[in-house]
Amino acid sequence: MNASTGDGVRLRVVSYNIHGQRDDTAALAAVVREAAPDVVIVQEGARRFRWRQRNASLAASFGLVLAAGGLPSLGNVLLTSLRVRVRDTRDRRFPLTPGRHLRGAVYADCQVAGARFTLAGSHLSTDPAERPAQAELLRKDLAEARWPLVFGADLNEGPEGPAWQTLADGFTDTAVAMDRADRLTFSCTDPRRRIDALFVDPRITVVDYDVVDTPQTRRASDHFPILVDLLLPGED
């Protein structure tokens, strides 16, 4: 899936809540290596002690490199293959509600072959009272993206939720595009909800979508990874 075509540039994306690497890390690495993505949007990456080294080691275990995120984005991390050139990065921290968990987002402006795109990742609160305001801030950031957007997140609510609807408005839900919105992402032990999503700019073509449910993914994390193949618009 990594070739350029006359209609655009192919990109393989994984979006994955890795549960703080608290599960089977060998299975986790094997899952991502088998998928052979160009980019991985990570939720619950390292955000505290030795976060740079730990996220770099995670990337190496996947056969990738650390592009952005970690402590500044509160565990949201972007990893890329050497095929992808990262041109700029930035982070967002949402306002802290006392007694709650601090959340954020990460962004990277990237280039692959002749295509430019903005990669983004986030992980919203488990508190339904916090999520709508976080989604509004995130939506503002996404609207300011200079290039066609690829955005993966653990939204901690399903498509019926207000935060999900705020973020989905104007973007393509890759699961819906492939008629696979019935593929549940959480939890691996009792799949019952689709709370993880990958949204893309309407200029991006969705080629394929899967939620990878295998014995390995059930050992690797408490969320299933989303695997999506895209066709990015080339430069005019």
Side-chain angles (χ1 to χ4, degrees):
M1 290 299 300
N2 291 343
S4 299
T5 75
D7 299 320
V9 178
R10 293 187 180 270
L11 187 79
R12 173 162 283 188
V13 181
V14 167
S15 186
Y16 204 171
N17 183 323
I18 64 169
H19 200 208
Q21 294 177 264
R22 294 193 293 270
D23 303 295
D24 186 332
T25 56
L28 177 67
V31 165
V32 176
R33 282 183 173 270
E34 183 174 349
D38 297 299
V39 298
V40 180
I41 304 168
V42 174
Q43 300 91 44
E44 293 196 28
R47 56 181 278 169
R48 293 191 177 91
F49 306 109
R50 298 171 52 248
W51 62 271
R52 288 186 183 86
Q53 180 180 344
R54 290 166 59 199
N55 286 321
S57 295
L58 174 70
S61 75
F62 294 166
L64 304 172
V65 296
L66 175 62
L71 175 62
S73 58
L74 303 165
N76 296 289
V77 179
L78 303 177
L79 312 176
T80 67
S81 72
L82 296 179
R83 178 173 177 256
V84 178
R85 182 176 180 181
V86 179
R87 293 184 170 271
D88 189 31
T89 66
R90 52 203 175 275
D91 304 286
R92 153 79 76 178
R93 290 191 174 193
F94 303 133
L96 176 63
T97 301
R100 301 297 303 173
H101 194 59
L102 193 59
R103 304 279 182 172
V106 63
Y107 308 92
D109 295 327
C110 303
Q111 181 172 355
V112 57
R116 299 288 295 270
F117 66 101
T118 295
L119 191 63
S122 189
H123 186 185
L124 299 190
S125 174
T126 57
D127 183 352
E130 281 191 299
R131 287 196 295 268
Q134 293 176 349
E136 289 291 348
L137 289 172
L138 189 53
R139 176 68 193 201
K140 181 176 181 294
D141 289 348
L142 300 180
E144 294 173 353
R146 183 177 179 186
W147 308 105
L149 183 76
V150 177
F151 168 54
D154 174 357
L155 300 179
N156 268 314
E157 67 180 36
E160 72 287 347
W164 184 298
Q165 292 175 15
T166 293
L167 293 168
D169 185 30
F171 293 110
T172 300
D173 181 335
T174 55
V176 174
M178 290 287 100
D179 195 25
R180 292 172 185 167
D182 59 337
R183 306 283 180 94
L184 306 179
T185 66
F186 181 82
S187 70
C188 290
T189 56
D190 181 21
R192 61 191 184 278
R193 303 176 69 195
R194 184 166 79 99
I195 63 174
D196 305 273
L198 189 84
F199 302 109
V200 297
D201 186 292
R203 291 171 289 179
I204 296 173
T205 301
V206 184
V207 178
D208 199 8
Y209 173 97
D210 195 15
V211 173
V212 186
D213 180 354
T214 66
Q216 273 191 325
T217 59
R218 287 176 178 258
R219 297 196 307 271
S221 178
D222 61 341
H223 289 244
F224 293 119
I226 295 171
L227 174 62
V228 183
D229 287 311
L230 303 172
L231 192 66
L232 304 176
E235 292 183 335
D236 296 332

mmCIF file of all heavy atoms in Angstrom, residues 94-103 125 127 129-130 134:
data_model
loop_
_atom_site.group_PDB
_atom_site.id
_atom_site.type_symbol
_atom_site.label_atom_id
_atom_site.label_comp_id
_atom_site.label_asym_id
_atom_site.label_seq_id
_atom_site.Cartn_x
_atom_site.Cartn_y
_atom_site.Cartn_z
ATOM 1 N N PHE A 94 -5.391 20.418 27.307
ATOM 2 C CA PHE A 94 -6.712 20.911 27.653
ATOM 3 C C PHE A 94 -6.702 21.450 29.080
ATOM 4 O O PHE A 94 -5.916 20.991 29.923
ATOM 5 C CB PHE A 94 -7.748 19.794 27.534
ATOM 6 C CG PHE A 94 -7.821 19.153 26.174
ATOM 7 C CD1 PHE A 94 -7.835 17.772 26.036
ATOM 8 C CD2 PHE A 94 -7.882 19.933 25.027
ATOM 9 C CE1 PHE A 94 -7.904 17.182 24.789
ATOM 10 C CE2 PHE A 94 -7.952 19.356 23.769
ATOM 11 C CZ PHE A 94 -7.967 17.977 23.651
ATOM 12 N N PRO A 95 -7.565 22.406 29.398
ATOM 13 C CA PRO A 95 -7.636 22.910 30.765
ATOM 14 C C PRO A 95 -7.918 21.784 31.766
ATOM 15 O O PRO A 95 -8.693 20.865 31.479
ATOM 16 C CB PRO A 95 -8.805 23.904 30.710
ATOM 17 C CG PRO A 95 -8.874 24.326 29.284
ATOM 18 C CD PRO A 95 -8.475 23.117 28.480
ATOM 19 N N LEU A 96 -7.288 21.872 32.917
ATOM 20 C CA LEU A 96 -7.423 20.836 33.940
ATOM 21 C C LEU A 96 -8.629 21.110 34.830
ATOM 22 O O LEU A 96 -8.774 22.206 35.377
ATOM 23 C CB LEU A 96 -6.164 20.771 34.802
ATOM 24 C CG LEU A 96 -6.213 19.791 35.983
ATOM 25 C CD1 LEU A 96 -6.371 18.360 35.497
ATOM 26 C CD2 LEU A 96 -4.964 19.928 36.849
ATOM 27 N N THR A 97 -9.490 20.120 34.942
ATOM 28 C CA THR A 97 -10.540 20.149 35.938
ATOM 29 C C THR A 97 -9.979 19.555 37.220
ATOM 30 O O THR A 97 -9.462 18.427 37.206
ATOM 31 C CB THR A 97 -11.755 19.322 35.478
ATOM 32 O OG1 THR A 97 -12.245 19.860 34.249
ATOM 33 C CG2 THR A 97 -12.850 19.336 36.530
ATOM 34 N N PRO A 98 -10.013 20.294 38.361
ATOM 35 C CA PRO A 98 -9.433 19.765 39.610
ATOM 36 C C PRO A 98 -9.957 18.371 39.934
ATOM 37 O O PRO A 98 -11.158 18.100 39.855
ATOM 38 C CB PRO A 98 -9.875 20.793 40.652
ATOM 39 C CG PRO A 98 -10.023 22.065 39.876
ATOM 40 C CD PRO A 98 -10.562 21.645 38.531
ATOM 41 N N GLY A 99 -9.018 17.497 40.234
ATOM 42 C CA GLY A 99 -9.366 16.126 40.573
ATOM 43 C C GLY A 99 -9.474 15.195 39.385
ATOM 44 O O GLY A 99 -9.662 13.983 39.558
ATOM 45 N N ARG A 100 -9.342 15.739 38.161
ATOM 46 C CA ARG A 100 -9.434 14.911 36.980
ATOM 47 C C ARG A 100 -8.055 14.696 36.365
ATOM 48 O O ARG A 100 -7.057 15.231 36.824
ATOM 49 C CB ARG A 100 -10.373 15.560 35.940
ATOM 50 C CG ARG A 100 -11.794 15.793 36.444
ATOM 51 C CD ARG A 100 -12.494 14.503 36.798
ATOM 52 N NE ARG A 100 -12.531 13.571 35.671
ATOM 53 C CZ ARG A 100 -12.962 12.314 35.749
ATOM 54 N NH1 ARG A 100 -13.377 11.830 36.906
ATOM 55 N NH2 ARG A 100 -12.971 11.545 34.693
ATOM 56 N N HIS A 101 -8.012 13.915 35.291
ATOM 57 C CA HIS A 101 -6.776 13.535 34.618
ATOM 58 C C HIS A 101 -6.488 14.543 33.507
ATOM 59 O O HIS A 101 -7.365 14.824 32.688
ATOM 60 C CB HIS A 101 -6.962 12.131 34.025
ATOM 61 C CG HIS A 101 -5.710 11.458 33.598
ATOM 62 N ND1 HIS A 101 -4.667 11.187 34.445
ATOM 63 C CD2 HIS A 101 -5.337 10.968 32.382
ATOM 64 C CE1 HIS A 101 -3.709 10.551 33.776
ATOM 65 N NE2 HIS A 101 -4.090 10.418 32.525
ATOM 66 N N LEU A 102 -5.287 15.107 33.477
ATOM 67 C CA LEU A 102 -4.929 16.086 32.454
ATOM 68 C C LEU A 102 -4.811 15.412 31.090
ATOM 69 O O LEU A 102 -4.167 14.374 30.963
ATOM 70 C CB LEU A 102 -3.615 16.767 32.835
ATOM 71 C CG LEU A 102 -3.216 18.029 32.068
ATOM 72 C CD1 LEU A 102 -4.273 19.114 32.206
ATOM 73 C CD2 LEU A 102 -1.872 18.541 32.586
ATOM 74 N N ARG A 103 -5.426 16.020 30.065
ATOM 75 C CA ARG A 103 -5.468 15.460 28.715
ATOM 76 C C ARG A 103 -4.898 16.447 27.705
ATOM 77 O O ARG A 103 -4.771 17.633 27.983
ATOM 78 C CB ARG A 103 -6.920 15.141 28.325
ATOM 79 C CG ARG A 103 -7.640 14.207 29.281
ATOM 80 C CD ARG A 103 -7.307 12.762 29.052
ATOM 81 N NE ARG A 103 -8.056 11.883 29.950
ATOM 82 C CZ ARG A 103 -8.067 10.569 29.873
ATOM 83 N NH1 ARG A 103 -7.368 9.960 28.927
ATOM 84 N NH2 ARG A 103 -8.745 9.841 30.728
ATOM 85 N N SER A 125 -11.387 12.834 27.759
ATOM 86 C CA SER A 125 -11.653 12.453 29.144
ATOM 87 C C SER A 125 -12.653 11.301 29.242
ATOM 88 O O SER A 125 -13.533 11.134 28.395
ATOM 89 C CB SER A 125 -12.198 13.665 29.903
ATOM 90 O OG SER A 125 -12.588 13.312 31.214
ATOM 91 N N ASP A 127 -14.721 11.485 31.610
ATOM 92 C CA ASP A 127 -15.831 12.213 32.233
ATOM 93 C C ASP A 127 -16.679 12.868 31.141
ATOM 94 O O ASP A 127 -16.196 13.758 30.428
ATOM 95 C CB ASP A 127 -15.277 13.285 33.179
ATOM 96 C CG ASP A 127 -16.375 14.037 33.927
ATOM 97 O OD1 ASP A 127 -17.568 13.844 33.605
ATOM 98 O OD2 ASP A 127 -16.033 14.826 34.818
ATOM 99 N N ALA A 129 -18.820 15.093 31.283
ATOM 100 C CA ALA A 129 -18.976 16.527 31.482
ATOM 101 C C ALA A 129 -17.792 17.309 30.918
ATOM 102 O O ALA A 129 -17.930 18.488 30.561
ATOM 103 C CB ALA A 129 -19.145 16.842 32.967
ATOM 104 N N GLU A 130 -16.620 16.682 30.836
ATOM 105 C CA GLU A 130 -15.419 17.348 30.328
ATOM 106 C C GLU A 130 -15.275 17.263 28.814
ATOM 107 O O GLU A 130 -14.703 18.161 28.187
ATOM 108 C CB GLU A 130 -14.161 16.716 30.949
ATOM 109 C CG GLU A 130 -13.832 17.145 32.345
ATOM 110 C CD GLU A 130 -12.433 16.668 32.730
ATOM 111 O OE1 GLU A 130 -12.203 15.450 32.732
ATOM 112 O OE2 GLU A 130 -11.580 17.532 33.002
ATOM 113 N N GLN A 134 -13.440 19.846 25.634
ATOM 114 C CA GLN A 134 -12.197 19.367 25.020
ATOM 115 C C GLN A 134 -12.369 19.218 23.518
ATOM 116 O O GLN A 134 -11.481 19.584 22.729
ATOM 117 C CB GLN A 134 -11.783 18.038 25.658
ATOM 118 C CG GLN A 134 -11.372 18.159 27.109
ATOM 119 C CD GLN A 134 -11.062 16.811 27.739
ATOM 120 O OE1 GLN A 134 -11.334 15.758 27.158
ATOM 121 N NE2 GLN A 134 -10.491 16.835 28.936
#
